[in-house]
C-alpha cells in the first residue's frame, strides 16, 4: 500500500526516462546506498566485510560485465575466467614493473588489456552463434590458463607461478583494513553499475538487444553486427577484467591461475542465468545467490546447534544448493530479477489484485 | 496468501541474519586455546586430506583427555576448504577472530601463499610442516611462517641425494635424465628452482612434465615419459594425482622402482588402489607410520577406545594420520613453550604462540616423553631458522605396506641456504620489508 505511483505525474521526457521513475524506488535506492556506504562499515564485523561482502561485490561486478555480453547482446561466453585472469595479471605487471604506478590506473589498464583480449576472442562471434560460440570462447580460457602457467614473464619470474601484491594505496590512503577494501570495491561497483545501466539504456544498448533478439532483422534496419557484437565484447571484458584485477589485488592478495579457472567462468555464467539475463539488478541477485547461499548453508547447522561432520555439512551444502538452483529455475526461468519485478507488480496492486 | 509466505520468509531471513551478526559482537574472554582446523574432506584431495585432519583432531582430543596444555583445554572447529584458495581465505577470515586462536595449518600450499600476506597484520602464526613457501625458512623475513621439518626444496634435495647414493656417488648423476612429473600449481612448481640448481651442479638433465590439476588426466604426461625414457621420475603429486600417476606408470610400463615421490605422494591412499602393481615405488618419509609409537597407542586408548575417535580406527597410524598428529603436537608444544615464558596455565595469544614456535627445542628426551620416539628427529627452531630440522628418509611400498626405510638424509645447506636467502631477499624487496634485527628476534 506504500508502493504505488498514483499522484506521480511525469511532465517532461527527462522525468519519464529516469533510471528509477517511481519515487519509492528512488528512496529505496538511496537507503540502500546509504546502508552500503555508512551502516555496513560501521556495524558489520570484519569477517563479514572481508570474507563475504567484498567477494560478493567483486563477483557482482564480474557478473555485471558478463551480463552485458550474454544477457544484453546474446553472445554466450565461457571465457569470463580468462578475461578476469588477463585483468588481474596485466594489472599485476603494471603494478610491479612500473614504479609508482597508481593503483586505480593499473586496475583500469588491466581492464583495458582484458578488453583487447576480449575483442580478439570475440571476433569468431561474427561467424558462430549460440552454443558453438560458447565452445569457441572456451579457447580463451585454455589459452590464458596455459599462458599464465607457462610464460614466466607474466608472473615476474616467480618460481611457483603464484604472484602477490602488497602495500596498496590510493592517493596515499592505504587499502589495508577490511573497511577500506570494502569501500574501495563498493565505489568501483557503484560507478560501473551506473555506467552499465546507462549504456544499456542508450543507443548502443538497444543495438545489443536488437542483435540478441534477431540479428538478421537488426542488420536489415541498419545495425552493423561487427560493431554491435565487438563493442559488447569490449565493454563486457573491460568490466570483467577490472573485476578480475580487484579479485586478485583486493580479495586474494596472492593468487595463481587456478583462481581464474574454468570453474570461475561457469560460476559467473550461472550467476547471470540464475540472477536474470539482461538485467543489471539480476547480476547482483545472482552473485548473492551463488556467493552467499553456500556460506549460509555451510554455517546453518552450526547456528542451529547441530553438530554434524565437516564432510556431511559440505555435502549437504552442495545438495541443497543444487536443489535450490533447480527450484528457482522452474519457478522462474527468467531469473531472480524477474521474480523481483513480479513482486513489485503485485505490490503495486495490493491489496486489490485483479 | 502468497504475500504472507513472502513476508514470513523475509522475517525468517532477517532473524537468521541477526543471529549471524550477534556472535561477532560478543567477543568473550578466551578460556580455551582455540585451534582452527582448515581441512578438506571432500573433493579430489579428500583421500589424503581426511586422514591428515583426523590425526590433528584426535591429538587434540587426546591432549584434552589427559588434562589439556598445563590445564588449558583446547577448543577446535573445522572449516572445509576443498583445497581451494578462495574458500581457504574465507575459512581463515571466519575463524581468525575466535577468542584464544593459536595458529593456522592451512593444509594447502595455495592457501598458504594467500595467507602469508595476511598473517602479519592479524598476528597469527602459520605452521606449514613440509609444505608452503620454501623461502619462508628464513625467519628474519618471514616472521609468521613456520615450514617446520622441511620444505619442497629440502625434499627435492634429499631425493637427488638419495638417487645419487643409489647410483654410487653424486658424480655418477652426470648425463642422467631425471623427469619431474608435477602438479601444475604452486605446490608442484616450488621444487623446480632447486632441481634446476642441482641439475647445473651435478650435470643431470632435468625435464619438466606438468600435470593439470587435479591430475585425473595424465595420458599426455606419461606419453612424454615413455618417449623420453628418463632414468628417474620424481613425482610431485597430491590427492588423486598420485594413484593416477602410478596407474599410468603401470600402463606405460615405466618401472616403479625408478619412481620417487615427495612426502605428499608417499601415503597409503596414493598406492592402495594400485596395490601390488605399485610395488617398488619409493617416496620420501617425514615420519614413520604404524601403530607401534607410544603416542598412537595412547590415542587409541584415550580417544578411540572411548568411542570418540574422529575417523575409522584402522586408519589410525597411517602415514598422513601420523603427520597430522605430529603437526598438532608441534602446535601444542609451541603453546607449551610460550606458556613457559608468558605464564603457565594461561591461554596464549597468537603473538605468544609465535614466540613459542620460534623457540621450540624438542630434544630426544622430550620426544620420548611425548611418546614420539622414533617417529621424527629432534628439532629446534630459532629466529633465523624457522624449519628446525630437514631430516627425512625414503621409504618403499612393498605392495601391501610402506616400509624399508633408508638412512636419514639432511638437505645440503650449501645449496639450500643461498637459495633461501636470495628468494627471501626478493620477497622482502617486493614487499618493502626490512630484515628483523636482534631486538625483534629476542622479543
Amino acid at each position: 500500500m506504500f508502493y504505488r505511483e498514483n499522484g506521480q505525474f511525469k511532465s517532461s521526457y527527462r522525468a519519464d526516462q529516469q533510471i528509477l521513475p517511481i519515487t519509492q524506488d528512488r528512496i529505496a535506492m538511496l537507503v540502500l546506498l546509504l546502508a552500503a556506504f555508512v551502516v555496513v562499515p560501521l556495524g558489520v564485523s570484519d569477517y563479514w566485510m572481508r570474507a563475504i561482502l567484498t567477494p560478493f561485490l567483486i563477483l557482482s561486478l564480474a557478473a555485471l560485465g558478463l551480463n552485458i555480453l550474454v544477457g544484453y547482446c546474446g553472445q554466450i561466453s565461457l571465457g569470463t575466467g580468462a578475461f578476469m585472469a588477463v585483468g588481474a595479471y596485466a594489472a599485476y605487471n603494471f603494478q610491479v614493473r612500473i614504479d609508482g604506478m597508481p593503483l586505480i590506473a593499473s586496475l583500469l589498464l588491466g581492464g583495458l588489456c582484458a578488453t583487447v583480449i576480449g575483442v580478439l576472442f570475440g571476433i569468431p562471434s561474427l561467424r558462430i552463434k549460440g552454443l558453438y560460440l560458447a565452445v569457441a570462447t572456451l579457447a580463451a580460457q585454455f589459452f590464458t590458463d596455459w599462458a599464465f602457467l607457462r610464460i614466466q614473464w607474466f608472473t615476474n619470474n616467480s618460481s611457483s607461478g603464484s604472484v602477490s601484491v602488497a602495500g596498496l594505496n590510493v592517493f596515499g590512503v592505504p587499502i589495508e583494513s577490511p573497511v577500506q577494501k570494502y569501500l574501495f570495491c563498493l565505489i568501483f561497483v557503484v560507478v560501473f553499475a551506473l555506467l552499465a545501466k546507462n549504456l544499456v539504456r542508450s543507443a548502443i544498448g538497444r543495438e545489443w538487444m536488437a542483435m540478441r533478439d534477431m540479428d538478421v532483422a537488426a542488420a536489415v534496419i541498419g545495425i552493423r553486427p561487427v560493431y554491435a557484437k565487438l563493442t559488447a565484447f569490449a565493454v563486457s571484458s573491460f568490466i570483467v577484467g577490472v573485476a578480475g584485477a580487484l579479485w586478485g589485488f583486493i580479495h586474494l592478495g596472492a593468487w595463481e591461475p587456478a583462481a581464474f579457472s574454468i570453474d570461475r567462468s561457469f560460476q559467473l555464467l550461472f550467476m547471470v542465468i540464475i540472477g536474470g539475463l539482461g538485467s543489471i539488478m539480476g547480476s547482483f541477485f545472482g552473485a548473492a545467490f551463488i556467493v552467499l547461499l553456500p556460506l549460509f548453508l555451510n554455517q546453518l547447522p552450526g547456528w542451529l546447534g547441530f553438530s554434524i561432520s565437516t564432510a556431511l555439512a559440505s555435502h549437504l551444502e552442495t545438495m541443497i544448493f543444487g536443489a535450490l538452483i533447480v527450484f528457482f529455475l522452474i519457478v522462474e526461468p527468467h531469473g531472480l530479477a524477474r521474480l523481483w519485478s513480479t513482486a513489485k507488480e503485485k505490490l503495486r496492486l495490493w491489496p486489490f489484485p485483479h | 496468501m502468497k504475500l504472507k509466505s513472502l513476508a514470513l520468509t523475509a522475517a525468517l531471513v532477517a532473524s537468521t541474519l541477526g543471529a549471524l551478526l550477534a556472535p561477532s559482537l560478543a567477543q568473550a574472554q578466551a578460556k580455551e586455546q582455540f585451534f582452527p582446523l582448515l581441512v578438506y574432506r571432500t573433493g579430489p584431495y579428500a583421500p589424503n586430506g581426511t586422514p591428515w585432519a583426523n590425526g590433528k583432531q584426535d591429538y587434540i582430543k587426546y591432549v584434552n583427555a589427559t588434562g589439556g596444555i598445563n590445564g588449558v583445554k583446547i577448543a577446535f572447529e573445522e572449516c572445509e576448504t576443498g583445497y581451494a584458495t578462495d574458500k581457504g581465505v574465507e575459512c581463515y577470515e571466519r575463524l581468525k577472530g575466535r577468542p584464544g586462536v593459536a595458529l593456522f595449518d592451512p593444509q594447502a600450499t595455495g592457501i598458504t601463499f594467500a595467507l602469508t600476506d595476511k598473517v602479519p597484520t592479524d598476528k597469527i602464526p602459520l605452521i606449514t610442516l613440509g609444505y608452503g613457501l620454501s623461502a619462508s625458512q628464513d625467519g628474519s623475513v618471514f616472521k609468521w611462517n613456520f615450514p617446520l621439518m622441511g620444505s619442497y626444496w629440502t625434499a627435492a634435495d634429499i631425493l637427488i641425494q638419495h638417487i645419487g647414493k643409489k647410483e654410487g656417488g653424486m658424480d655418477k648423476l652426470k648425463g642422467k635424465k631425471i623427469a619431474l612429473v608435477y602438479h601444475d600449481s604452486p605446490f608442484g612448481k616450488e621444487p623446480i628452482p632447486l632441481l634446476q640448481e642441482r641439475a647445473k651442479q651435478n650435470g643431470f638433465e632435468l625435464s619438466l612434465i606438468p600435470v593439470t590439476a587435479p591430475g585425473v588426466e595424465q595420458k599426455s604426461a606419461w606419453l612424454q615419459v615413455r618417449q623420453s625414457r628418463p632414468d628417474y621420475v620424481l613425482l610431485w603429486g597430491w590427492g588423486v594425482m598420485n594413484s593416477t600417476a602410478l596407474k599410468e606408470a603401470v600402463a606405460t610400463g615405466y618401472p616403479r622402482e625408478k619412481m620417487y615421490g615427495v612426502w605428499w605422494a608417499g601415503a597409503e591412499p596414493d598406492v592402495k588402489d594400485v596395490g601390488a602393481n605399485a610395488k617398488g615405488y619409493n617416496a620420501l618419509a617425514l615420519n614413520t607410520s604404524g601403530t607401534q609409537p607410544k603416542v598412537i597407542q595412547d590415542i587409541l586408548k584415550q580417544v578411540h577406545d572411548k568411542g570418540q575417535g574422529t575417523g575409522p580406527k584402522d586408519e589410525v597410524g597411517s602415514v598422513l594420520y601420523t603427520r597430522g598428529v605430529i603437526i598438532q603436537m608441534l602446535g601444542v608444544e609451541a603453546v607449551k613453550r610460550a606458556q613457559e615464558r608468558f605464564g603457565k596455565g594461561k591461554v596464549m595469544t597468537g603473538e605468544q604462540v609465535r614466540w613459542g614456535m620460534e623457540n621450540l627445542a624438542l630434544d630426544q628426551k622430550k620426544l620420548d616423553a611425548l611418546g614420539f620416539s622414533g617417529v621424527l628427529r629432534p628439532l629446534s627452531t630459532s629466529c633465523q631458522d624457522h624449519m628446525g630440522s630437514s631430516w627425512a628418509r625414503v621409504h618403499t611400498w612393498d605392495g601391501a605396506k610402506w616400509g624399508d626405510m633408508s638412512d636419514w638424509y639432511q638437505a645440503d645447506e650449501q645449496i639450500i641456504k643461498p637459495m633461501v636467502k636470495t628468494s627471501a631477499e626478493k620477497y622482502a624487496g617486493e614487499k618493502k620489508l626490512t630484515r628483523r634485527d636482534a631486538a625483534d628476534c629476542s622479543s
Side-chain angles (χ1 to χ4, degrees):
Chain A
M1 86 186 70
F2 302 107
Y3 189 74
R4 65 183 44 150
E5 51 189 311
N6 44 357
Q8 301 177 21
F9 301 109
K10 309 283 184 284
S11 49
S12 64
Y13 283 116
R14 216 183 142 76
D16 197 37
Q17 290 181 351
Q18 294 177 86
I19 295 179
L20 301 166
I22 304 172
T23 315
Q24 286 91 332
D25 277 350
R26 281 200 294 277
I27 294 169
M29 186 52 81
L30 269 178
V31 170
L32 186 71
L33 283 177
L34 205 69
F37 275 102
V38 181
V39 180
V40 168
L42 288 177
V44 171
S45 69
D46 280 3
Y47 163 66
W48 262 78
M49 216 137 25
R50 197 166 204 165
I52 298 179
L53 293 176
T54 308
F56 160 69
L57 284 175
I58 299 172
L59 289 180
S60 303
L61 186 62
L64 181 69
L66 182 65
N67 216 335
I68 287 180
L69 186 62
V70 182
Y72 285 99
C73 195
Q75 311 296 311
I76 303 178
S77 161
L78 279 177
T80 331
F83 304 139
M84 279 180 88
V86 172
Y89 279 96
Y92 168 77
N93 276 299
F94 283 115
Q95 188 79 9
V96 287
R97 284 174 200 283
I98 302 172
D99 217 24
M101 189 79 179
L103 175 62
I104 294 181
S106 45
L107 292 177
L108 294 179
L109 283 171
L112 272 183
C113 292
T115 310
V116 173
I117 302 293
V119 170
L120 210 64
F121 280 96
I123 293 172
S125 70
L126 307 175
R127 280 296 171 88
I128 36 188
K129 285 175 200 160
L131 283 175
Y132 298 94
L133 179 65
V135 177
T137 52
L138 259 184
Q141 185 69 46
F142 291 122
F143 176 75
T144 54
D145 266 3
W146 170 83
F148 295 127
L149 278 170
R150 297 280 168 274
I151 303 175
Q152 295 253 312
W153 188 84
F154 287 132
T155 54
N156 201 14
N157 299 318
S158 131
S159 58
S160 57
S162 173
V163 297
S164 66
V165 286
L168 303 175
N169 67 77
V170 177
F171 306 122
V173 183
I175 307 290
E176 294 274 326
S177 71
V179 179
Q180 288 159 339
K181 287 184 170 182
Y182 165 80
L183 285 176
F184 186 70
C185 292
L186 186 64
I187 292 168
F188 262 91
V189 171
V190 168
V191 169
F192 275 101
L194 192 65
L195 282 178
K197 183 73 193 173
N198 280 319
L199 263 183
V200 297
R201 285 160 10 113
S202 68
I204 183 86
R206 281 193 284 275
E207 284 187 16
W208 292 339
M209 285 185 268
M211 213 37 125
R212 168 193 72 191
D213 292 339
M214 195 174 178
D215 52 351
V216 177
V220 166
I221 59 168
I223 294 169
R224 281 173 297 157
V226 181
Y227 177 73
K229 284 181 178 175
L230 289 187
T231 47
F233 264 99
V235 172
S236 158
S237 30
F238 179 72
I239 298 178
V240 166
V242 171
L246 285 174
W247 185 255
F249 276 55
I250 308 293
H251 180 50
L252 292 176
W255 70 95
E256 65 225 33
F260 305 104
S261 64
I262 181 89
D263 292 347
R264 182 75 60 215
S265 302
F266 280 123
Q267 193 192 27
L268 285 165
L269 194 62
F270 297 156
M271 275 181 200
V272 175
I273 293 173
I274 292 169
L277 287 168
S279 153
I280 300 290
M281 196 67 157
S283 315
F284 289 91
F285 284 137
F289 187 86
I290 300 258
V291 177
L292 304 186
L293 198 64
L295 283 172
F296 178 72
L297 288 173
N298 185 264
Q299 303 195 37
L300 191 63
W303 295 325
L304 298 179
F306 297 119
S307 67
I308 55 172
S309 80
T310 320
L312 183 62
S314 150
H315 290 310
L316 276 179
E317 171 198 324
T318 326
M319 277 158 25
I320 297 175
F321 185 55
L324 279 175
I325 291 178
V326 175
F327 171 78
F328 274 113
L329 287 183
I330 290 174
V331 171
E332 185 52 77
H334 296 287
L336 299 174
R338 177 63 73 84
L339 221 54
W340 175 250
S341 54
T342 318
K344 281 211 297 197
E345 287 297 319
K346 285 221 160 83
L347 270 177
R348 276 174 163 179
L349 302 172
W350 193 78
F352 303 114
H354 33 244
Chain B
M1 192 63 210
K2 259 209 172 131
L3 203 78
K4 212 174 188 176
S5 64
L6 201 78
L8 214 70
T9 343
L12 199 79
V13 167
S15 63
T16 33
L17 270 177
L20 227 147
L21 294 170
S24 60
L25 298 172
Q27 283 278 354
Q29 184 61 40
K31 287 196 198 69
E32 291 173 322
Q33 194 77 54
F34 179 73
F35 275 88
L37 303 177
L38 266 54
V39 300
Y40 31 99
R41 292 175 181 278
T42 59
Y45 306 95
N48 299 44
T50 307
W52 181 349
N54 290 345
K56 287 204 298 193
Q57 220 185 88
D58 276 355
Y59 191 77
I60 290 180
K61 288 176 181 167
Y62 162 69
V63 170
N64 277 341
T66 50
I69 313 169
N70 291 328
V72 179
K73 288 270 189 267
I74 306 177
F76 63 87
E77 185 175 325
E78 284 197 341
C79 185
E80 172 78 23
T81 68
Y83 201 73
T85 304
D86 52 344
K87 271 185 150 182
V89 170
E90 191 269 319
C91 282
Y92 168 79
E93 298 290 347
R94 192 194 297 180
L95 298 177
K96 76 170 189 199
R98 295 297 169 84
V101 64
L103 52 83
F104 273 88
D105 167 26
Q107 279 198 206
T109 300
I111 301 176
T112 307
F113 279 42
L115 295 189
T116 297
D117 291 330
K118 293 182 195 280
V119 283
T121 23
D122 297 325
K123 304 207 180 307
I124 303 171
L126 280 183
I127 174 170
T128 59
L129 184 136
Y131 65 92
L133 199 57
S134 303
S136 65
Q137 182 184 1
D138 190 340
S140 58
V141 171
F142 295 89
K143 188 176 174 183
W144 299 88
N145 288 49
F146 291 89
L148 297 169
M149 285 175 71
S151 67
Y152 295 130
W153 289 353
T154 67
D157 190 68
I158 290 168
L159 276 180
I160 298 297
Q161 284 184 40
H162 181 74
I163 290 173
K165 197 172 167 196
K166 261 203 130 168
E167 287 285 330
M170 296 305 278
D171 51 322
K172 298 276 194 329
L173 284 176
K174 209 172 181 67
K176 288 270 184 292
K177 271 198 279 188
I178 297 180
L180 174 72
V181 175
Y182 66 96
H183 191 263
D184 207 350
S185 68
F187 155 61
K189 284 182 177 173
E190 272 285 311
I192 294 175
L194 184 119
L195 289 170
Q196 282 167 339
E197 182 69 27
R198 269 285 188 188
K200 228 188 299 166
Q201 290 192 11
N202 299 110
F204 60 84
E205 190 190 314
L206 178 71
S207 56
L208 302 173
I209 304 176
V211 170
T212 312
V216 279
E217 172 50 51
Q218 301 183 22
K219 286 267 182 284
S220 67
W222 286 90
L223 193 68
Q224 280 183 60
V225 170
R226 200 161 79 180
Q227 281 164 352
S228 62
R229 285 267 149 214
D231 296 294
Y232 293 96
V233 166
L234 304 182
L235 181 62
W236 227 266
W238 181 230
V240 287
M241 173 177 164
N242 294 327
S243 49
T244 313
L246 282 164
K247 281 176 202 159
E248 290 294 337
V250 173
T252 47
Y254 190 83
R256 266 70 74 202
E257 295 78 20
K258 303 265 184 195
M259 288 176 68
Y260 288 85
V262 67
W263 41 59
W264 300 115
E268 290 83 0
D270 305 322
V271 281
K272 262 214 170 109
D273 291 351
V274 200
N277 278 332
K279 195 174 167 212
Y281 167 63
N282 315 284
L284 275 171
L286 267 180
N287 52 270
T288 55
S289 56
T291 52
Q292 308 86 10
K294 190 174 160 284
V295 62
I296 303 290
Q297 290 294 335
D298 285 347
I299 288 175
L300 281 171
K301 218 179 303 159
Q302 300 275 8
V303 182
H304 275 266
D305 287 352
K306 291 186 184 156
Q308 286 163 348
T310 313
K313 200 173 172 180
D314 53 338
E315 273 182 20
V316 173
S318 64
V319 174
L320 287 167
Y321 180 95
T322 310
R323 195 162 304 153
V325 169
I326 293 174
I327 292 173
Q328 198 56 54
M329 180 272 283
L330 292 169
V332 168
E333 288 309 305
V335 175
K336 227 185 256 176
R337 183 83 179 93
Q339 284 190 358
E340 282 173 21
R341 176 170 168 180
F342 299 104
K344 273 203 176 155
K346 282 191 192 150
V347 173
M348 294 289 109
T349 65
E351 263 179 299
Q352 291 165 337
V353 175
R354 193 204 68 79
W355 183 88
M357 194 93 86
E358 195 166 272
N359 292 283
L360 273 181
L362 292 173
D363 53 11
Q364 195 58 50
K365 220 164 70 197
K366 269 196 187 151
L367 286 179
D368 290 347
L370 289 166
F372 282 86
S373 8
V375 178
L376 69 159
R377 303 258 305 204
L379 86 164
S380 71
T381 49
S382 68
C383 180
Q384 275 75 38
D385 177 22
H386 273 194
M387 194 179 280
S389 97
S390 67
W391 294 98
R393 289 179 286 189
V394 175
H395 61 177
T396 309
W397 178 252
D398 71 356
K401 63 174 196 318
W402 286 100
D404 193 18
M405 282 278 185
S406 73
D407 295 334
W408 286 99
Y409 293 93
Q410 198 176 15
D412 190 346
E413 288 273 285
Q414 285 184 332
I415 294 177
I416 305 276
K417 251 201 177 147
M419 283 185 68
V420 166
K421 192 154 178 256
T422 358
S423 59
E425 218 99 89
K426 188 178 169 220
Y427 180 87
E430 271 175 21
K431 297 285 149 74
K432 300 183 177 64
L433 300 169
T434 44
R435 276 184 180 275
R436 296 162 63 196
D437 50 18
D440 191 18
C441 272
S442 54
S443 69

